[in-house]
Amino acid sequence: MKGGTGFVLCYTDIVFEWWKEISNLSDRSALKAFLHTDSLISDGCPLHPGTKGMEVFMAIIHNGESRLCFSLKQVSYARYWLHAYGLTSEPLPLPSSHYLLTLNDLRGPPSPVTYKTVAELRNALKDVGKHNKRVKTFAGDYALGEMRTVFERVRSVWGERRGAWMAIDFEGWERDHTVITEFGWSVIRWKPEDSGVVEAKEGEKLDEVALKEVREEGHWTVKEYAAYRNGVFVKDNRDNYDFGTTEVLPKVVFKKRIGELISGYAAEGPLYLVFHDRYGDVKYLRQLEVPGIEGLSSIPNKPPGPGLYCVDTKDMFSALEGDSGQQRGLERVCLLLKIYGFNHPHNAGNDAHYTMEALRAMATGKPLDSQREERWPNQTQVLFGQQKGVKVEWTEKDLDSDDEFY
C-alpha cells in the first residue's frame, strides 16, 4: 500500500512506545510482532503486498534533525489488519498524538524511502541518530541548513511525478552579456502508459496509475547574432549540440518561442525551472519578458500547486557535499556524480541536458546523508577521530581534472 504523507508518526515512537499503551497482553504481543523489523521487511507484510521492501518516510523537523516515520495511513491500516485477521481482541487505540508530526512541524513534505533488507532498515535508524548528532556542527550555517531542506523537498516532489521539470540554459556573447546568442531546454514530465488514460479513475490515486517518463529538449540560436562568437573567455560550442538539431530563429521568434514554451508547460500544472546557478539565467528570462518570472519562487513547504518554481542544482550539490560556500560548476558536478559524456559544455542545449541529468541523479537518490555516504563512502569530515560533520573531504583523484579550465 502507498502511504499518504499528510501526517506522519515517528518510527521509533510507533515501534518502541505504542505497544506500552495497550493493556491487553495478547494484543500487545500481536502489535510488537507486526512491528518487528523482520516482519516489516518480510514479503508477506500487509503494508507492502507484492512489493519488495518497506516504504517509510524521511522527515526534517525545524531544527534540522531527521525523523524516520510511518504515515498515518500505514499505522491506521496496521490497526485494521490486526483486528480483521483476529490477531487482536478489538481495534487497537490510536497512538498518542505526541507521536504525530504535521507539515507545520516540518521543513517540508516527508520524502519516501524504501528499505529492502532488515540490515538496511536497522542501519537507517542508526544513520538518523548519527546525523542528528552532526546537525549541531552546522547549526550555525543557515545557508547550508536551507540547502539541505530544499534538497529533500526536491526529492519529495520529484517522487510525486506530477507537473513538468524544465532545465534551461542561456549563452550570451562574452563581450556583451546582454546579447543572448543561445537557449537550451530539457524537459522531463510523466504521462499514463495507457494512452487512453487522461486522469485517475474514481477511487484511484494518480500514483496508482502506471506512468512513463517523457523527455523533450532542444537548442535554439539567434539568426541575427550568428557572427557573435565566443572562444576567448568562454568555450565556443554553439555548433556542437549533442542531442538533436539546432534551430536557428529570428530574434523576435526566439523571444516569442521561449515565452510560449515556458507558459505552455506552466499552464498544465506546476513547472519546476531547473538552473545551474540561477542568477544569470533568471536575468535573461526577465530581459526576454517571460510571463510569470517575477513571481518565481523556490519549492514551498506545502505541496506546490500551479505556477513556476525554481530549483538550482548548484545549491543542491552544495547541500550534498555539505559545504554552502563551495559553488561548483556544472562540469565538475557531473564528474563528481559520475555523469559522463559531457563533451561540449557552453552549448546551451548540452548544458540544459546535463543540468537535468544532475538533477535526476540527486532527486532519485537516497535521502541526503545516506546518498552522500553511498556516493563517497567514509569521506565525511572527521574531527578528533570521530565522524562529526557533513562535509565531504575530497581526494586528489576526485578533483583531478581540468574540466573547469574556462
Side-chain angles (χ1 to χ4, degrees):
M1 64 175 292
K2 290 284 185 181
T5 55
F7 299 94
V8 291
L9 300 102
C10 184
Y11 180 98
T12 52
D13 288 337
I14 294 300
V15 172
F16 301 118
E17 300 296 330
W18 184 20
W19 62 267
K20 296 178 182 178
E21 301 174 8
I22 299 168
S23 57
N24 184 298
L25 295 181
S26 177
D27 291 356
R28 176 186 288 189
S29 296
L31 178 60
K32 289 177 69 175
F34 185 95
L35 294 174
H36 193 278
T37 311
D38 291 335
S39 300
L40 292 174
I41 294 296
S42 167
D43 291 344
C45 178
L47 294 180
H48 52 92
T51 303
K52 182 71 174 177
M54 177 67 197
E55 181 183 75
V56 288
F57 298 87
M58 191 68 72
I60 302 176
I61 60 178
H62 289 297
N63 69 356
E65 293 183 5
S66 296
R67 296 287 186 270
L68 202 63
C69 299
F70 290 106
S71 70
L72 181 58
K73 181 178 179 181
Q74 289 173 321
V75 171
S76 298
Y77 188 75
R79 296 172 60 240
Y80 159 78
W81 187 89
L82 285 168
H83 183 58
Y85 279 80
L87 298 175
T88 57
S89 59
E90 59 183 359
L92 297 176
L94 283 168
S96 168
S97 60
H98 295 299
Y99 308 161
L100 189 67
L101 295 172
T102 70
L103 282 176
N104 290 332
D105 301 312
L106 307 175
R107 287 188 172 185
S111 56
V113 57
T114 299
Y115 300 106
K116 295 184 178 181
T117 68
V118 171
E120 283 184 2
L121 182 53
R122 288 176 176 164
N123 287 336
L125 289 169
K126 294 178 183 177
D127 291 342
V128 167
K130 291 177 182 177
H131 160 73
N132 290 341
K133 291 179 181 178
R134 293 198 299 267
V135 162
K136 296 181 178 62
T137 67
F138 65 86
D141 188 342
Y142 177 80
L144 180 59
E146 285 298 302
M147 289 174 180
R148 289 172 59 87
T149 297
V150 170
F151 188 101
E152 289 301 332
R153 286 181 187 171
V154 170
R155 286 186 62 256
S156 178
V157 175
W158 179 280
E160 294 176 1
R161 298 184 298 171
R162 185 171 60 91
W165 299 73
M166 180 187 293
I168 67 172
D169 183 73
F170 289 94
E171 291 293 320
W173 188 35
E174 62 188 6
R175 299 184 184 278
D176 180 354
H177 294 292
T178 64
V179 176
I180 303 172
T181 57
E182 302 176 50
F183 173 70
W185 57 280
S186 181
V187 169
I188 287 182
R189 58 187 179 87
W190 294 267
K191 68 178 184 179
E193 287 187 356
D194 182 353
S195 59
V197 177
V198 294
E199 59 183 14
K201 298 176 183 177
E202 184 176 355
E204 185 179 42
K205 294 185 177 181
L206 184 60
D207 61 7
E208 295 170 346
V209 175
L211 299 174
K212 64 179 179 181
E213 182 180 295
V214 178
R215 183 79 174 261
E216 301 159 311
E217 46 197 356
H219 177 232
W220 304 340
T221 64
V222 180
K223 181 179 180 180
E224 289 88 336
Y225 297 142
Y228 290 65
R229 308 295 299 214
N230 294 335
V232 177
F233 308 111
V234 179
K235 293 177 183 178
D236 182 0
N237 273 315
R238 188 187 304 181
D239 301 327
N240 294 315
Y241 179 47
D242 294 324
F243 302 98
T245 302
T246 297
E247 291 188 64
V248 182
L249 305 173
K251 184 178 177 181
V252 173
V253 177
F254 180 84
K255 176 181 177 179
K256 182 172 181 287
R257 288 271 298 274
I258 292 173
E260 290 175 345
L261 178 74
I262 293 174
S263 298
Y265 279 107
E268 296 176 4
L271 173 61
Y272 306 96
L273 290 179
V274 185
F275 310 92
H276 192 82
D277 193 1
R278 60 191 176 277
Y279 297 106
D281 293 320
V282 170
K283 181 180 69 174
Y284 282 139
L285 289 171
R286 288 173 176 155
Q287 180 179 325
L288 294 170
E289 300 176 325
V290 173
I293 292 303
E294 292 304 325
L296 189 63
S297 62
S298 59
I299 296 176
N301 181 17
K302 296 182 179 180
L308 292 174
Y309 301 93
C310 170
V311 176
D312 195 326
T313 52
K314 179 178 278 190
D315 288 347
M316 286 187 67
F317 191 81
S318 292
L320 187 59
E321 71 167 308
D323 188 350
S324 63
Q326 182 62 262
Q327 301 282 287
R328 299 194 184 276
L330 180 59
E331 295 166 77
R332 177 74 71 190
V333 166
C334 286
L335 283 172
L336 292 172
L337 292 174
K338 294 183 170 55
I339 298 170
Y340 303 118
F342 194 7
N343 299 320
H344 298 112
H346 293 289
N347 171 290
N350 295 339
D351 287 1
H353 177 91
Y354 282 100
T355 296
M356 181 61 77
E357 290 299 300
L359 172 74
R360 193 218 303 259
M362 292 184 282
T364 59
K366 293 181 178 180
L368 193 153
D369 292 301
S370 298
Q371 185 175 153
R372 183 192 62 243
E373 291 303 314
E374 183 177 67
R375 292 183 182 280
W376 309 293
N378 303 316
Q379 286 184 228
T380 308
Q381 187 179 46
V382 174
L383 185 63
F384 303 124
Q386 295 184 343
Q387 187 168 306
K388 295 287 290 183
V390 296
K391 181 179 178 181
V392 176
E393 296 289 344
W394 300 108
T395 65
E396 290 186 11
K397 182 179 179 181
D398 291 326
L399 301 178
D400 183 20
S401 80
D402 60 356
D403 63 282
E404 293 178 297
F405 173 64
Y406 73 134

